[in-house]
Amino acid sequence: MALKRYTQSNSHSTMAELNVTPMLDLAFTLLIIFIITTPLMEGNIEINLPTATPTKATDEKPDVKTVEVDKKGVIHFGGKIVTVDALRRDLEKLHQADPKVAVIIRADRDLRYQTLVDVFDALQRANITRLGLTHLDEASPRH
């Protein structure tokens, strides 16, 4: 009998759990409205952007030389094998002849790190600031 009274009185009591489904529906609706309206609000500002006069592109292209270093650390420059000191001297002569000279370093991926640092050091000592770095493919021909 006590069990029956408990269920009768429990039918009129409040729920112990909170139903969050309506709250989630509201949150997702507000999120969708926010996502849709935010990009539309950004384009309403009037801005006068500054303009510049276009410059004429120069036809002169910088002289580009290639330094290649194979996986054994042998440095190739100008069609010959050179040491780091000889490379530095050759690069200094190039820089004196044309300060806008550019150098591309083609290095093997298995090269010792120190050899590449030595080549960068030679470039820095020759005051060459325009340089690029690429990998050396076994299938690509040497310059």
Side-chain angles (χ1 to χ4, degrees), residues 72-124:
K72 295 179 184 175
V74 178
I75 302 169
H76 300 266
F77 182 67
K80 59 183 179 179
I81 296 174
V82 294
T83 63
V84 174
D85 291 330
L87 176 66
R88 182 185 50 80
R89 287 191 298 273
D90 291 345
L91 292 173
E92 285 175 350
K93 289 177 189 175
L94 281 173
H95 181 69
Q96 288 175 357
D98 182 14
K100 293 184 179 183
V101 68
V103 176
I104 295 176
I105 301 171
R106 295 181 67 218
D108 191 274
R109 67 178 179 185
D110 296 328
L111 178 67
R112 282 188 45 226
Y113 189 72
Q114 183 60 48
T115 307
L116 193 58
V117 169
D118 292 339
V119 171
F120 279 120
D121 188 44
L123 285 164
Q124 183 180 13

Side-chain angles (χ1 to χ4, degrees), residues 24-40:
L24 287 176
D25 288 343
L26 178 65
F28 286 133
T29 304
L30 290 174
L31 180 66
I32 290 171
I33 291 171
F34 179 73
I35 289 172
I36 291 172
T37 58
T38 300
L40 298 175

Side-chain angles (χ1 to χ4, degrees), residues 121-134:
D121 188 44
L123 285 164
Q124 183 180 13
R125 291 180 188 271
N127 293 324
I128 294 179
T129 57
R130 302 177 77 180
L131 61 102
L133 187 62
T134 184

